[in-house]
Amino acid sequence: IGIRLELDHLVAYPREAARTRASGTVTVQYTIGADGRVTNVEIVRARPRGLFDRTVVQTVSGWRFEATGETTTQTRTFDFRM
């Protein structure tokens, strides 16, 4: 049984990236606390660096998961394509 995201927020395409029709990939690692809150959001890999990082960190930091009473660390990759 997996951990369920209560409000699955989509990651917005940054304006500058959309304007230039840029694409890229960001891999992020984060901790889900026993209460379901996300902490310790870190960029593991970003291509290109700096273009999508901030948007991903802001979005993932706002996620809330169903509280399980346990802490877990997850990694997720986001692909940005126009």
Side-chain angles (χ1 to χ4, degrees):
I1 295 178
I3 296 173
R4 192 182 65 134
L5 181 61
E6 289 184 346
L7 296 173
D8 194 3
H9 299 284
L10 298 176
V11 177
Y13 217 96
R15 284 186 188 174
E16 180 62 22
R19 187 182 67 73
T20 61
R21 301 191 57 78
S23 60
T25 302
V26 176
T27 301
V28 66
Q29 181 175 315
Y30 52 94
T31 301
I32 303 169
D35 62 355
R37 294 186 182 274
V38 173
T39 59
N40 304 323
V41 181
E42 296 180 22
I43 299 296
V44 175
R45 182 173 186 223
R47 298 289 185 260
R49 297 188 91 175
L51 187 57
F52 301 102
D53 305 25
R54 183 174 165 185
T55 299
V56 170
V57 169
Q58 287 176 339
T59 300
V60 173
S61 294
W63 284 355
R64 298 294 178 264
F65 290 81
E66 188 176 308
T68 63
E70 295 181 20
T71 299
T72 186
T73 300
Q74 293 190 352
T75 303
R76 182 167 178 180
T77 299
F78 296 87
D79 292 312
F80 293 87
R81 305 269 181 261
M82 293 211 69

